[in-house]
């Protein structure tokens, strides 16, 4: 199984390192053509403005097309902003792959960045969430399941093949969320095989 | 229980900036130009290094009013420079809620002997280093990000290259040495032993290491990336050039696509005048910023 990590900028090597520990062939994706042959894609944390400006040509458009076809995608922090249908205070969104609205830097500036233990539906009830100038989910669309909340705010969600988190599992040694995503990718491969 | 200011959230923010460009800005307008060009963060300071070099005098942290304007103008992280050892400038910048403090040799040092105790702060710090010993001492003092110093405000990349190559060489030595030689390396380099252990555990410096000091062109940026740094600081290189918007964008593109010479070539076309460079030999020893 080959899973790509969008490698324009940000916490790319952390995701690749976890994938490799899980025995998955992780690939850096900088261009649209590198999306072929992948079974899933991770959009890492970084600076969403920079990542969107620097994704050359039709990279993000292609990611959007794949998402519509049921291709499994996981976005953390900036990756979640890139995947959201709506971004507060901004007219345009980017990939539009999950029916949520997000607010940038909702947890505040860096001095308010924090760690907290999270209870994540279907994953773990003791996951250490690392929130860095984190975005929160402010609107949940139909068909979106909230998997975790912090002080009432939705911080992790899933709609079908798309998984998003406000925080950074890639900055911990805890691989349970990545395992959960790999399972999503396996399910999708099975479905594809039946078709 | 919510924990703020852990070392993981401090160094984690720097991890998120990897592969990006951080630009020096003195006004909100410049910060907006930097953000639109794809900068991952901006660095607020009173004057860019080239002006500090030309005008002389004591260089201090920026006017808090300016810092606030910059904080309000952009959504990317805002860093700000404090003088080496000036823990009250750092306290002020923390109160302003900047996202990172650069305890910087570009400003006039406030303490001839000691750096700031960075563990005492919730806000993270980045510090300059010329070699592994300096980098490891700053990390031991609590720095959550390192940048090689280069020679700021010169538009001359040679010192940045010197420092990056030396650091890489020393890290290779630490990684390949038998365990019994580590303490002696600590003694020779002036690097705290515990930080050397952390390097061996991670296989690299335990925090992100950007290149800084003299980077003025897209090729300079791409070269530093190929030499193995995690990202780029551009000081005077952008806003002391003929066409800041275009050059800012070109340096960002070259940093992202540093291995693709066609892209570096195409973004380098027609950028107008680069900042005026200074040969390192022409700088009197007491005006070298890197030795601070």
């Amino acid at each position: 199984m080959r899973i790509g990590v969008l490698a324009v900028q940000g916490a790319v090597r952390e995701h690749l390192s976890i994938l490799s520990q899980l025995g998955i062939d992780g690939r850096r994706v900088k261009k649209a053509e590198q999306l072929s042959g992948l079974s899933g894609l991770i959009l890492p944390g970084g600076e969403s403005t920079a990542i969107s400006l620097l994704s050359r040509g039709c990279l993000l458009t292609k990611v959007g097309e794949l998402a519509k076809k049921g291709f499994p995608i996981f976005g953390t922090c900036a990756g979640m902003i890139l995947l959201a249908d709506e971004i507060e205070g901004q007219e345009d969104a980017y990939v539009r792959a999950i029916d949520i609205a997000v607010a940038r830097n909702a947890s505040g500036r860096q001095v308010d960045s924090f760690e907290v233990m999270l209870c994540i539906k279907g994953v773990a009830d003791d996951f250490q969430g690392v929130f860095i100038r984190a975005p929160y989910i402010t609107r949940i669309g139909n068909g979106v399941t909230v998997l975790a909340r912090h002080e009432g705010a939705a911080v992790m969600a899933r709609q079908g093949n798309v998984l998003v988190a406000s925080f950074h599992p890639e900055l911990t040694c805890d691989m349970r969320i990545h395992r959960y995503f790999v399972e999503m990718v396996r399910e999708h491969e099975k479905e594809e095989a039946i078709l | 229980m919510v924990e703020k200011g852990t070392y993981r959230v401090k160094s984690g923010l720097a991890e998120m900036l990897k592969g990006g460009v951080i630009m020096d800005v003195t006004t909100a307008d410049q910060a907006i130009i930097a953000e639109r060009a794809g900068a991952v963060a901006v660095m607020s300071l009173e004057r860019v290094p080239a002006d500090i070099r030309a005008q002389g005098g004591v260089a201090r942290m920026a006017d808090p009013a300016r810092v606030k304007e910059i904080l309000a103008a952009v959504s990317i992280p805002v860093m700000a420079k404090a003088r080496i050892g000036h823990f009250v400038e750092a306290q002020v910048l923390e109160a302003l809620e900047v996202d990172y403090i650069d305890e910087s040799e570009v400003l006039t040092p406030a303490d001839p002997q000691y750096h700031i105790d960075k563990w005492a702060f919730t806000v993270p710090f980045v510090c300059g280093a010329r070699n592994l010993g300096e980098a490891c001492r700053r990390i031991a003092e609590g720095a959550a990000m390192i940048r090689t110093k280069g020679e700021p405000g010169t538009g001359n990349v040679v010192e940045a290259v010197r420092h990056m190559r030396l650091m890489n060489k020393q890290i290779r030595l630490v990684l390949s040495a038998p365990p019994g030689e580590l303490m002696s390396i600590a003694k020779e380099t002036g690097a705290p032993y515990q930080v050397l252990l952390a390097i061996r555990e991670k296989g690299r410096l335990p925090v992100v290491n950007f290149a800084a000091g003299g980077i003025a062109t897209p090729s300079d940026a791409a070269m530093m990336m190929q030499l193995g740094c995690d990202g780029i600081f551009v000081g005077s290189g952008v806003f002391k050039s003929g066409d800041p918007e275009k050059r800012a964008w070109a340096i960002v593109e070259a940093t992202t696509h540093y291995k693709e010479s066609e892209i570096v070539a195409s973004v380098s076309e027609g950028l107008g005048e680069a900042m005026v460079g200074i040969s390192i030999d022409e700088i009197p020893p007491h005006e070298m910023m890197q030795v601070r």
Side-chain angles (χ1 to χ4, degrees):
Chain A
M1 183 192 293
R2 220 175 259 169
I3 294 181
V5 180
L6 188 76
V8 173
Q9 182 273 315
V12 179
R13 72 173 170 225
E14 288 79 358
H15 280 293
L16 287 172
S17 151
I18 293 184
L19 289 175
S20 119
Q21 287 175 65
L22 290 173
I24 308 282
D25 181 7
R27 294 288 172 97
R28 289 173 186 265
V29 176
K30 268 194 179 180
K31 298 177 187 168
E33 54 264 34
Q34 292 166 328
L35 289 166
S36 66
L38 298 178
S39 309
L41 181 69
I42 296 177
L43 274 53
E47 285 305 316
S48 54
T49 326
I51 295 176
S52 66
L53 285 170
L54 285 160
S55 297
R56 279 175 90 93
C58 41
L59 178 55
L60 290 184
T61 317
K62 283 270 161 60
V63 172
E65 286 166 13
L66 285 171
K68 281 204 183 72
K69 290 183 200 154
F71 184 76
I73 305 182
F74 174 29
T76 59
C77 196
M80 174 171 100
I81 296 176
L82 293 174
L83 291 173
D85 276 0
E86 200 185 318
I87 300 160
E88 288 197 5
Q90 192 174 317
E91 271 182 36
D92 292 329
Y94 307 106
V95 180
R96 296 175 189 273
I98 180 166
D99 188 9
I100 56 170
V102 296
R104 275 205 168 94
N105 307 335
S107 74
R109 301 206 70 96
Q110 175 62 17
V111 286
D112 294 313
S113 292
F114 62 95
E115 295 188 37
V116 73
M117 194 74 91
L118 295 172
C119 179
I120 302 171
K121 213 180 280 176
V123 177
D125 57 5
D126 59 347
F127 199 96
Q128 189 72 9
V130 181
F131 292 79
I132 298 177
R133 290 169 40 94
Y136 286 162
I137 303 169
T138 52
R139 182 183 62 76
I140 316 284
N142 286 333
V144 177
T145 311
V146 174
L147 299 181
R149 288 184 183 274
H150 168 64
E151 290 177 350
V155 295
M156 186 169 176
R158 177 177 175 182
Q159 183 177 24
N161 55 307
V162 180
L163 181 68
V164 293
S166 299
F167 51 97
H168 295 281
E170 74 277 15
L171 290 182
T172 68
C173 311
D174 196 331
M175 299 191 282
R176 288 177 291 180
I177 290 178
H178 286 78
R179 269 203 200 99
Y180 177 89
F181 178 64
V182 168
E183 206 41 55
M184 280 171 61
V185 176
R186 273 211 186 96
E187 297 280 325
H188 179 252
E189 278 188 330
K190 266 188 225 157
E191 287 163 23
E192 291 274 283
I194 293 167
L195 288 172
Chain B
M1 195 188 71
V2 172
E3 279 181 283
K4 291 185 182 178
T6 61
Y7 196 66
R8 185 152 55 184
V9 302
K10 288 176 169 180
S11 59
L13 176 57
E15 300 288 353
M16 298 307 141
L17 304 179
K18 285 200 299 272
V21 179
I22 300 168
M23 294 181 196
D24 276 4
V25 297
T26 56
T27 64
D29 288 343
Q30 289 182 351
I32 292 167
I33 291 173
E35 182 174 53
R36 286 189 185 149
V40 290
V42 291
M43 174 71 72
S44 156
L45 74 174
E46 180 190 52
R47 294 174 280 166
V48 294
D51 287 339
I52 292 170
R53 201 173 274 292
Q55 297 160 359
V58 173
R60 312 180 178 91
M61 82 169 174
D63 179 339
R66 278 285 163 81
V67 177
K68 280 186 185 167
E69 287 164 16
I70 293 167
L71 285 166
V74 293
S75 78
I76 54 177
V78 175
M79 303 183 163
K81 285 189 192 288
R83 284 179 265 178
I84 289 174
H86 206 314
F87 52 87
V88 174
E89 280 190 352
Q91 289 164 6
V92 168
L93 292 172
E94 182 172 58
L96 293 172
E97 300 200 337
V98 303
D99 297 297
Y100 239 92
I101 294 175
D102 183 358
E103 185 182 19
S104 177
E105 69 283 2
V106 166
L107 307 185
T108 312
D111 191 312
Q113 198 174 1
Y114 301 109
H115 279 70
I116 296 169
D117 170 18
K118 293 164 274 287
W119 296 113
F121 290 78
T122 306
V123 66
F125 282 74
V126 53
C127 287
R130 285 174 299 169
N131 52 50
L132 190 66
E134 284 187 357
C136 293
R137 290 197 298 277
R138 299 295 85 80
I139 292 167
E141 289 162 359
M145 179 180 186
I146 292 293
R147 53 175 177 74
T148 47
K149 285 177 173 174
E151 188 55 32
T154 59
N156 187 342
V157 78
V158 65
E159 294 301 297
V161 171
R162 187 196 309 280
H163 300 156
M164 190 58 69
R165 281 201 186 273
L166 177 59
M167 194 101 78
N168 288 343
K169 191 175 177 180
Q170 290 176 311
I171 290 170
R172 285 196 298 272
L173 175 69
V174 170
L175 294 178
S176 61
E181 293 179 10
L182 211 55
M183 186 57 86
S184 170
I185 294 173
K187 186 180 165 195
E188 283 160 18
T189 58
Y193 183 72
Q194 295 304 324
V195 184
L196 295 184
L197 288 179
I199 290 174
R200 281 165 77 95
E201 198 185 306
K202 281 229 167 189
R204 56 178 175 82
L205 215 58
V207 300
V208 161
N209 183 20
F210 274 43
I215 296 160
T217 69
S219 296
D220 288 349
M223 175 167 70
M224 296 314 300
M225 291 298 288
Q226 286 194 28
L227 285 173
C229 69
D230 292 312
I232 302 289
F233 277 94
V234 186
S236 322
V238 169
F239 291 103
K240 281 282 147 188
S241 74
D243 189 343
E245 278 96 345
K246 207 168 170 192
R247 185 167 292 267
W249 171 248
I251 291 177
V252 170
E253 283 274 314
T255 302
T256 308
H257 303 285
Y258 65 94
K259 281 182 186 161
E260 296 188 58
S261 41
E262 295 86 0
I263 295 178
V264 179
S266 79
V267 300
S268 300
E269 278 180 28
L271 291 181
E273 287 201 27
M275 68 178 284
V276 179
I278 304 173
S279 167
I280 303 299
D281 317 330
E282 291 165 17
I283 305 172
H286 66 276
E287 286 180 16
M288 293 284 273
M289 291 175 172
Q290 58 176 274
V291 297
R292 291 171 170 175

